[in-house]
Amino acid sequence: MKVNRILLVGLGSIGKRHFKNLRKMLPHATLAVLRSRKGNAPVVDCEVLTSLEMAIDFRPDMAVICNPSSFHMEVAEKLAEEGVHLFIEKPLSNRAQGVAEFIEMIDRSNLKVMVGYNLRFCRSLVAFKTMLDGQEFGRTLMVSAEVGQYLPDWRPEVDYRSTVSARLELGGGALLELSHELDYLTWLFGKAVSTSARLIKVSDLDIDVEDLVLAHINFEKHGHSVPASVQLDFLQHQPFRRCKVVCEQGVLVWNAIAGRVEVHQQGGTRTVFQDDNGMDVTYEQELQAFIDCAALLLNTFILYPRCSRTYI
């Protein structure tokens, strides 16, 4: 059985990206968009729905939830109760309340749920992880990860003050909007053993959320403690995303902007991986991975009702 009916919740910048990719990947599927009545940009080649009740009546096979994170749980819970497989844009929610109960519910319901951290599909980061897992340069000693981009330049087509990133009520702030670092560090080094952080506003940006996060996280990998420092900010005028891992026999650096992995050793610096595909393809690949999982379960649910695992 194929995925034939898809619900897209929200049509902001990431929603438009997912809409475009879904139309490209599943041209024959029936696609509906759930959006507020305030939306006035035209939407073609799909049904437009204006209430959650209408969305449930649409009977989707899967939903892509990309409205503000403060509304994720409200929509996700209702759709999960109807047996809809869910792709949820990061973060899962802007608060912990109700998340544990939601996870328990979807696990009991045999649903596929995936949070959209597309960097896990970045070829250069996958190569970086492979080198670390194989300890090609010895044991990891320490880590630093940093990401920054000037908020007014992030989405130049809109006033930054009206975006989700700038507003506390919508789940904004550097911690949640730039949470890719927290996800990929956990992917690289495992569950955090301890954490501490400062969330502060240091700029004159007209926002009611933090524009800078300074965090310290301790991981444990291969039986050894791995301390990591993390910086997330809305301040840097030149987009920046980089992870540096100091190993026993060299320093590995992942440059996300350049799609490159370098190793720094006594003899100099050399590139050990270069990805020229760019980041756009990662959004397609994460959706395809989820669609494949949902299609498999839609096809086998009757025969194997407990075959699924929940991906969060």
Side-chain angles (χ1 to χ4, degrees):
M1 183 182 297
K2 297 180 180 179
V3 175
N4 293 315
R5 300 178 68 80
I6 305 170
L7 174 69
L8 180 66
V9 181
L11 204 62
S13 59
I14 189 63
K16 291 172 182 172
R17 180 188 288 270
H18 287 320
F19 181 92
K20 178 181 177 181
N21 287 337
L22 287 167
R23 266 287 156 251
K24 173 183 175 183
M25 297 158 61
L26 298 171
H28 302 298
T30 301
L31 181 60
V33 173
L34 173 60
R35 63 186 312 195
S36 70
R37 295 183 183 276
K38 294 182 295 183
N40 52 21
V43 185
V44 297
D45 198 22
C46 73
E47 297 184 36
V48 178
L49 312 175
T50 55
S51 73
L52 189 52
E53 290 73 21
M54 292 174 66
I56 291 172
D57 289 341
F58 173 69
R59 306 297 295 174
D61 297 319
M62 61 169 274
V64 178
I65 299 176
C66 41
N67 55 349
S69 63
S70 56
F71 302 111
H72 282 182
M73 284 286 87
E74 175 187 354
V75 175
E77 288 173 355
K78 293 294 186 181
L79 291 175
E81 289 173 357
E82 300 297 323
V84 180
H85 302 295
L86 303 172
F87 178 97
I88 305 174
E89 258 305 320
K90 61 85 184 168
L92 179 60
S93 179
N94 67 326
R95 56 187 179 274
Q97 182 181 0
V99 170
E101 293 80 3
F102 174 70
I103 293 174
E104 291 177 4
M105 178 180 68
I106 60 176
D107 196 27
R108 291 193 306 268
S109 303
N110 297 287
L111 293 178
K112 293 294 186 184
V113 176
M114 177 177 173
V115 179
Y117 283 104
N118 66 299
L119 291 186
R120 294 197 183 203
F121 294 83
C122 176
R123 291 177 66 237
S124 56
L125 184 57
V126 172
F128 191 64
K129 183 181 189 313
T130 300
M131 295 174 198
L132 292 171
D133 289 346
Q135 301 189 74
E136 294 185 22
F137 300 94
R139 178 168 62 90
T140 296
L141 303 177
M142 67 177 188
V143 179
S144 64
E146 181 180 347
V147 60
Q149 184 166 357
Y150 190 49
L151 185 58
D153 295 341
W154 194 344
R155 303 176 184 94
E157 70 279 3
V158 297
D159 185 340
Y160 78 90
R161 292 167 293 189
S162 66
T163 64
V164 169
S165 303
R167 299 170 62 185
L168 181 63
E169 63 177 337
L170 298 180
L175 179 65
L176 294 179
E177 286 291 275
L178 299 173
S179 59
H180 283 286
E181 269 51 38
L182 306 181
D183 177 71
Y184 81 66
L185 287 174
T186 302
W187 187 44
L188 294 178
F189 302 109
K191 187 176 181 179
V193 177
S194 64
T195 62
S196 63
R198 294 179 62 205
L199 281 64
I200 51 181
K201 183 175 182 294
V202 298
S203 73
D204 293 327
L205 290 172
D206 187 11
I207 59 179
D208 64 354
V209 291
E210 77 282 352
D211 53 22
L212 174 63
V213 176
L214 301 172
H216 294 279
I217 307 175
N218 285 309
F219 299 96
E220 187 171 306
K221 189 175 180 69
H222 299 305
H224 298 279
S225 176
V226 178
S229 61
V230 183
Q231 178 178 316
L232 322 171
D233 72 72
F234 289 160
L235 309 171
Q236 300 186 55
H237 287 265
Q238 185 70 27
F240 187 93
R241 173 166 267 146
R242 192 172 298 174
C243 181
K244 180 171 72 174
V245 178
V246 178
C247 301
E248 293 174 305
Q249 299 161 21
V251 178
L252 273 175
V253 178
W254 173 56
N255 184 327
I257 306 298
R260 182 167 59 241
V261 180
E262 298 174 341
V263 60
H264 302 258
Q265 295 174 303
Q266 188 172 6
T269 298
R270 57 191 174 94
T271 297
V272 291
F273 187 88
Q274 178 66 59
D275 180 14
D276 297 321
N277 287 345
M279 201 63 71
D280 287 347
V281 68
T282 63
Y283 294 97
E284 295 182 28
Q285 290 173 340
E286 65 174 355
L287 272 180
Q288 188 62 62
F290 179 73
I291 290 168
D292 290 344
C293 288
L296 177 64
L297 191 55
L298 286 167
N299 190 48
T300 60
F301 180 77
I302 295 176
L303 294 176
Y304 307 103
R306 296 300 300 176
C307 71
S308 70
R309 290 185 181 272
T310 299
Y311 293 87
I312 289 189

